[in-house]
Amino acid sequence: MKTTINCFIPFAGAAQAEKTVQGLQATGLVKTIYLISANPTDQPLPGCELLSVDFFANSAAMCEIATRSDAEYTLIYTKETTLELGLFALERMVHIAEDSGAGMVYADHYQVIGNERKNAPVIDYQAGSLRDDFNFGSVLLFNAQAFKESAGRMTVDYDYAGLYDLRLKLSQKYPLVHINEYLYSEVENDTRKSGEKIFDYVDPKNRNRQIEMEAACTEHLKEIGGYLPPKFKKIEFAADNFEYEASVIIPVRNRIRTIRDAIRSVLAQKTDFKFNLIIIDNHSTDGTTEAIDEFKEDERLIHLLPERNDLGIGGCWNVGVHHPKCGKFAVQLDSDDVYAHEQTLQIMVRAFYEQNCAMVVGTYMMTDFDMNMIAPGIIDHKEWTPENGRNNALRINGLGAPRAFYTPVLRAIKVPNTSYGEDYALGLNFSRHYQIGRVYEVVYLCRRWDDNSDASLDIVKMNGHNLYKDRIRTWELQARIAMNK
């Protein structure tokens, strides 16, 4: 196989890059290796050229890479740690790229953490894979002509979103192909649990980066026909007759340590309207059922024990929402969590009328089990704006808490019978036609502890969750494109 690849790798010094460079050179396929550095006085390694750019993933870097992509393929390595290629890995990637006509190929790989080598499979890319943190792994092999053509359609000079913008442009015309083979090993230094990583995108220190990512994604949606302008259906709340103005819905299974706190936080609510609490107890076996019964003297509590054995969290929601005693507004509370104060329910319901919306999302604070604030602190999802929230929702991985719904619309749409992503699916579906209201004060405490459903997931489970959310986005994107037509 002839020399076909230009390689671009981050450069933070000879010690960091030397083994990676040697491995690439040993393949016999590489034309030029460019070391990307923000320091123009750096001295390149033998056989390499220095490419001086301010930041590896900005728009200027993408344009510089495109200019130098004079071989058949362009390889970008995105980590500053050592890369170890598998046997004939580049040959395999080139082979699949040629066979599939891909604009880019990426592969399963291994992560080296200390002395341990772990499998790191990735997932297939699809139209709804719009997350800017989609995990391709660290080795991206592009068809050079596709890369250059896509870079030529970039119109905004981004400080952070250059690579993301390039990827979106590329996906509009070319397949992004996942190779289900373990083709390389990368050293991984981010050893945080999954439950800590998932909040990176709402960390305030990343706000400037997120603004750019939103702009790039919005431009992409406009180009493919998936953008929705801020025009919404109006709701006439007075047309509905409900015994209760609001119902708090708690699906629960085996939460003996937290369910009492959740119940107390609901029953302590101060409102000027009639509300109740509907708990769907999904066959608990740890004493949760008996703990709920401790509150049975309060007539506001409705304790449901489903006969079905096939219900996820979403299915439990459907049981609660379709109960004849469900109120006009159904308000979420996870069995792990509590409302922040006695005014939460009043504030959430008032937002429906003030903002004429079919769904309301609040602001929450991350806490430990004892309800002390922990990083990243307050999650306000201020990236959700009335003007662009429903478009940006296709990029981010969540919508905040608590979530509240106008019951007639929720009953019509129904909740997916899953135990992950069901609330996100609802948010996308609601926002296709209706305004989603926002409450930007803390009304909810999200408790993080070892038994949280996403506290510490293995990579296979995380991939399953991400694949499902990408699928939800794909379906929603397809519906929006069809609606625009």
Side-chain angles (χ1 to χ4, degrees), residues 384 388-399 424 427-428 431 473 480:
W384 184 283
N388 202 47
R390 61 178 175 174
N391 296 299
N392 198 29
L394 287 166
R395 179 186 66 86
I396 60 177
N397 232 13
L399 299 178
Y424 180 67
L428 291 181
S431 69
R473 279 183 278 264
R480 294 183 184 195

Coordinates of all heavy atoms in Angstrom, one line a residue, residues 384 388-399 424 427-428 431 473 480:
W384 N -31.1 26.9 27.4 CA -32.4 26.9 26.9 C -33.0 28.3 26.8 O -33.3 28.9 27.9 CB -33.3 26.0 27.8 CG -34.7 25.8 27.1 CD1 -35.7 26.7 27.1 CD2 -35.1 24.7 26.4 NE1 -36.7 26.3 26.4 CE2 -36.4 25.0 25.9 CE3 -34.6 23.5 26.0 CZ2 -37.2 24.2 25.1 CZ3 -35.3 22.6 25.2 CH2 -36.6 23.0 24.8
N388 N -34.3 29.7 20.9 CA -33.6 28.6 20.3 C -33.5 27.3 21.1 O -32.9 26.4 20.7 CB -32.1 29.1 20.0 CG -31.5 28.2 18.9 OD1 -32.1 28.0 17.8 ND2 -30.3 27.8 19.1
G389 N -34.2 27.3 22.2 CA -34.1 26.2 23.1 C -34.5 24.8 22.4 O -33.8 23.8 22.6
R390 N -35.5 24.8 21.7 CA -35.9 23.5 21.1 C -35.0 23.1 20.0 O -35.0 21.9 19.6 CB -37.4 23.6 20.6 CG -37.7 24.6 19.5 CD -39.1 24.5 19.1 NE -39.6 25.5 18.2 CZ -40.8 25.5 17.6 NH1 -41.6 24.5 18.0 NH2 -41.1 26.4 16.8
N391 N -34.2 24.0 19.4 CA -33.2 23.5 18.5 C -31.9 23.0 19.2 O -31.4 22.0 18.9 CB -32.8 24.7 17.5 CG -34.0 25.1 16.7 OD1 -34.5 24.3 15.9 ND2 -34.5 26.3 16.8
N392 N -31.5 23.8 20.2 CA -30.4 23.4 21.0 C -30.6 22.1 21.8 O -29.7 21.4 22.1 CB -30.0 24.6 22.0 CG -28.6 24.5 22.5 OD1 -27.7 23.9 21.8 ND2 -28.4 25.0 23.7
A393 N -31.9 21.8 22.1 CA -32.2 20.6 22.8 C -31.7 19.3 22.0 O -31.5 18.3 22.6 CB -33.7 20.5 23.1
L394 N -31.6 19.5 20.7 CA -31.1 18.3 19.9 C -29.6 18.1 20.1 O -29.1 17.1 19.7 CB -31.4 18.6 18.4 CG -32.9 18.4 18.0 CD1 -33.1 19.0 16.6 CD2 -33.3 17.0 18.1
R395 N -28.9 19.0 20.7 CA -27.5 18.9 20.9 C -27.1 18.5 22.3 O -26.1 17.7 22.4 CB -26.8 20.3 20.6 CG -25.3 20.3 20.8 CD -24.8 21.7 20.6 NE -25.2 22.6 21.7 CZ -24.6 22.7 22.9 NH1 -23.5 22.0 23.1 NH2 -25.1 23.6 23.8
I396 N -27.8 18.9 23.2 CA -27.5 18.6 24.6 C -28.1 17.3 25.1 O -28.9 16.8 24.4 CB -27.9 19.8 25.6 CG1 -29.4 20.0 25.5 CG2 -27.1 21.1 25.2 CD1 -29.9 21.1 26.5
N397 N -27.7 16.8 26.2 CA -28.1 15.5 26.6 C -29.1 15.5 27.7 O -29.4 14.4 28.3 CB -26.8 14.7 27.1 CG -26.7 13.4 26.4 OD1 -27.4 13.1 25.4 ND2 -25.9 12.5 26.9
G398 N -29.7 16.6 28.1 CA -30.7 16.6 29.1 C -31.3 18.0 29.2 O -30.9 19.0 28.6
L399 N -32.4 18.1 29.9 CA -33.2 19.4 30.0 C -33.4 19.9 31.4 O -34.1 21.0 31.5 CB -34.6 19.1 29.3 CG -34.6 18.7 27.8 CD1 -36.0 18.4 27.3 CD2 -33.9 19.7 27.0
Y424 N -36.2 13.0 28.4 CA -35.6 13.7 27.3 C -36.4 13.6 26.0 O -36.6 14.5 25.3 CB -34.1 13.2 27.1 CG -33.4 13.9 26.0 CD1 -33.1 15.3 26.0 CD2 -33.0 13.2 24.8 CE1 -32.4 15.9 25.0 CE2 -32.4 13.8 23.8 CZ -32.0 15.2 23.9 OH -31.3 15.8 22.9
G427 N -39.3 15.9 26.3 CA -38.9 17.3 26.0 C -38.8 17.6 24.6 O -39.3 18.7 24.1
L428 N -38.2 16.7 23.8 CA -38.0 17.0 22.4 C -39.4 17.0 21.7 O -39.7 17.8 20.8 CB -37.1 15.9 21.7 CG -35.6 15.9 22.1 CD1 -34.9 14.8 21.4 CD2 -35.0 17.3 21.8
S431 N -41.4 20.0 22.6 CA -40.9 21.3 22.1 C -41.1 21.4 20.5 O -40.9 22.5 20.0 CB -39.4 21.4 22.4 OG -38.6 20.5 21.7
R473 N -33.0 11.5 19.2 CA -32.8 12.7 18.4 C -33.0 12.5 16.9 O -33.5 13.4 16.2 CB -31.3 13.2 18.7 CG -31.1 14.0 19.9 CD -29.7 14.4 20.1 NE -28.9 13.4 20.6 CZ -28.5 13.3 21.9 NH1 -29.0 14.2 22.8 NH2 -27.7 12.3 22.3
R480 N -39.0 16.7 12.4 CA -39.0 18.1 12.2 C -38.7 18.5 10.7 O -39.2 19.4 10.1 CB -37.9 18.7 13.1 CG -38.3 18.7 14.6 CD -37.3 19.3 15.5 NE -37.6 19.1 16.9 CZ -37.1 19.8 17.9 NH1 -36.2 20.8 17.6 NH2 -37.5 19.6 19.1

